[in-house]
Amino acid sequence: MAKKGRKETIAVEGVWPIGSYIYKAPTLYRELLEGFKQKKIIGSLCTGCGFVYVPMRNICGRCWRKIDARVNVSDEGTVKAFTLSQVVKKGQVKVLGLDPVEQGWLKEGERLIMVFVNFDGTNSKYTTILMNAKPEEVHIGMRVRVVWKEEPEGKLSDIVGVEPIK
């Protein structure tokens, strides 16, 4: 929790389609996934202001310049925000089109922990699943590392999630 005096953050009941995001930049998407195939995270670097974006962007949101430069980014980062799901049942939730229970990322009855990670050296956040952690252990500022699929295929699911750095 961000503040020790707060027992619980705001809870909002409802169904949240967290796996329905569509990435709309085909060229950048291909570059990102080529990096994933090699277990590398590639960011776009704005040469005007120095911002690094993951996922990549064509235009800098800070200075509005076109971005053509690329940089390799660390697979370690810091949790900047998080959200906890209700208790998950098989077939109830999809993340990147996959059922986390069927994939073995969660056991039925556990809660899905979605985190927004600021990878070291970047200025943007990447949304993914926090694995191998209990909900009560999650906090803003938690250091995490990417959990890669054993044999990456050049898909968004090559990053299975992140886990705490012990």
Side-chain angles (χ1 to χ4, degrees), residues 75-100:
D75 67 353
E76 293 183 358
T78 304
V79 172
K80 294 296 185 177
F82 66 92
T83 185
L84 303 171
S85 74
Q86 298 281 342
V87 171
V88 175
K89 295 178 183 158
K90 186 176 179 180
Q92 182 183 41
V93 175
K94 299 279 187 196
V95 178
L96 298 173
L98 303 171
D99 184 310

Side-chain angles (χ1 to χ4, degrees), residues 44-46 53 57-60 65-70:
S44 54
L45 167 66
C46 175
Y53 295 96
R57 293 184 182 185
N58 285 321
I59 305 292
C60 180
R65 293 185 185 185
K66 184 173 180 182
I67 300 176
D68 292 318
R70 304 291 178 255

Side-chain angles (χ1 to χ4, degrees), residues 27-136:
T27 303
L28 298 178
Y29 182 75
R30 277 193 298 276
E31 288 181 59
L32 181 70
L33 298 182
E34 280 302 314
F36 281 11
K37 242 188 221 184
Q38 301 167 33
K39 295 187 178 183
K40 291 182 181 177
I41 301 172
I42 299 171
S44 54
L45 167 66
C46 175
T47 55
C49 67
F51 261 46
V52 176
Y53 295 96
V54 173
M56 293 183 275
R57 293 184 182 185
N58 285 321
I59 305 292
C60 180
R62 184 170 186 222
C63 69
W64 301 102
R65 293 185 185 185
K66 184 173 180 182
I67 300 176
D68 292 318
R70 304 291 178 255
V71 291
N72 287 328
V73 173
S74 173
D75 67 353
E76 293 183 358
T78 304
V79 172
K80 294 296 185 177
F82 66 92
T83 185
L84 303 171
S85 74
Q86 298 281 342
V87 171
V88 175
K89 295 178 183 158
K90 186 176 179 180
Q92 182 183 41
V93 175
K94 299 279 187 196
V95 178
L96 298 173
L98 303 171
D99 184 310
V101 176
E102 286 179 6
Q103 295 300 311
W105 303 337
L106 290 175
K107 294 183 180 118
E108 194 159 3
E110 291 182 335
R111 295 172 77 183
L112 183 67
I113 306 169
M114 294 299 295
V115 292
F116 299 85
V117 177
N118 180 213
F119 288 114
D120 295 345
T122 67
N123 301 93
S124 59
K125 314 302 178 278
Y126 187 86
T127 308
T128 190
I129 299 170
L130 179 65
M131 305 172 68
N132 305 319
K134 296 177 183 166
E136 59 272 12

